Amino acid sequence: MKIIARLLIAATGLFNLTACYDAGIKQTIHDTGFIYCESGNVDFFNPQISDGNSILEAISAQVYDRLLIIAPVTQKPSANLATSWQVDDTGTVYTFDLKENVQFHTTEWFTPSRALTASDVAFSFNRILDKNNAFHNVNSGDYPWFNSINFSQMVTSVEAITPHKVRFTLSTPDNTFLSVLAASYAVIHSEEYAQQLAAIDEKTLIDVKPVGTGPFKLAQFQRSELVRLKRHEQYWQGPANMSQVVFDISSRGTGSLAKLLRQECDVVANPISSQLPIIIANDALTLYSQTAMNVAYIAINMREPILQDQRVRKALSFAIDRSSLINSVYYNSGIEAKSILPPASWAYGNDSSHIRYDLNYAKGLLREAGVKDGLELTMWVPLDNNSYNPSPKKSAEIIQSDFAKLGIDLKILTSDILNPNELKDADVDLVLTGWNANSSDPDSLLRPLLSCDAKQAGFGVANWCNEEFDLLLDLAKETNQPRYRINIYRQIQNVLSEELPVIPLAHGVKYQANQSSLTGFTLSPFNTYSFHNVVRVKELN
């Protein structure tokens, strides 16, 4: 990612940026748009090459469209750029009909000559699939999420059949495929823009100066400070209600709440749980909540010899008082995790006999494994709060205290953003992390984190690979029988409870706080939705 960062520094000078906005500018934003505050950072705007970043997901949901989306009510894949689709008798050929007259962004760096066609869809996915594609190796040539689900083995070809019909051919029937196309990573790019960049030998700009079909387009960017989007006037669903959105990415922790109270922020994503009572008590603010399909967990570095002992891994799990986490970190808004899958999942299996608080049993397991007091472990903790963990540092300190009762000295290493690629050669025993699912399908929580492909892609930070687990995952996605799928996912959860490559901690709630003058937001257990319908209600004098 260092290469991308250097490219971005060079590219941002073209945007005529400023990170400071005075009272007049703030009033203009208030009158014509809103300021969205979330901690984090971005080095590029294409989620295809991202390894998971909530602020990038929020921005890309405004800039790009996908063929399908996850409907917030039914929680199933539904039409978006694709109006309909057909599946052949083999279950391996999907043909999608595309919406007509979908316009790409007109920006300072690109003026489109045509609307979206099937060739744009084919280009967007063939960049990932085809190693000979001119853009495959651009900006690292790594597609972590797609690699973690073995997308190149799932899809054998993507072809434009007619200008508004595209065909995907799969290697085997796959019940997860439609959910994959609805994931926040599966965005559609302009092939015409790519060809223009290739002609001037500037292919790297495709990810840092984006062109999409979403309701907003990139206008300004300054790293660690702000991203400003302007309304796409030719958006296929009609122009957005607000003419601009400013993402303030300079805030951290309590600073976001202070800005919200001073009306310097209109929206705060994932507020810290301890801030919720203050928000609820303020009549000028509205708090949205949504049960999320997520999990906070500790990934165990299976390359460490002492952690390869199953008894040691289980002892660590039994030593954690999850009720203390829920009370102190989630302020009783979360749920103790008994599985990687949350209770809202249709495949959830509660295995409390394996995942519970039992300090004496934990001590007995360590004695049996020959581990004496004084064992030292390190745990990497990203500082950015998220819906699955509203205060990672505080969670880490509670876990540190729990491990001390077990005679384990836990050293906490902190970082603003966790980059799984940095862990490959790092001397780290544990990682406090989590995951937000892209759909209601259990596969979207299990495969990207724990499959052998996830390990190979650097997406699965536990460095775990289990052939039985992968076989069960593949069986579950190939069968159409709901009862059979549920039974397979119960077996999968049993394997995880026995092997314990990750320690489930909690399932969080998705929160958003905003000025009550703003309405029209859509909260989902999965992807961030566009701000197309957000509008500010005029205040009464």
Side-chain angles (χ1 to χ4, degrees), residues 18-32 35 220 226 228 244 246:
T18 177
C20 304
Y21 30 90
D22 58 22
I25 294 175
K26 278 191 267 189
Q27 186 61 46
T28 300
I29 297 173
H30 180 276
D31 292 342
T32 63
I35 301 174
Q220 292 182 324
L226 65 85
R228 185 148 79 110
Q244 64 175 319
V246 174

Side-chain angles (χ1 to χ4, degrees), residues 66-85 96 178-179 181-182 236 529:
R66 306 181 296 276
L67 288 180
L68 307 176
I69 58 171
I70 299 295
V73 177
T74 66
Q75 298 187 4
K76 295 180 179 180
S78 62
N80 199 45
L81 290 181
T83 58
S84 62
W85 57 91
F96 294 86
L178 293 179
S179 295
L181 295 187
W236 57 274
Y529 273 73

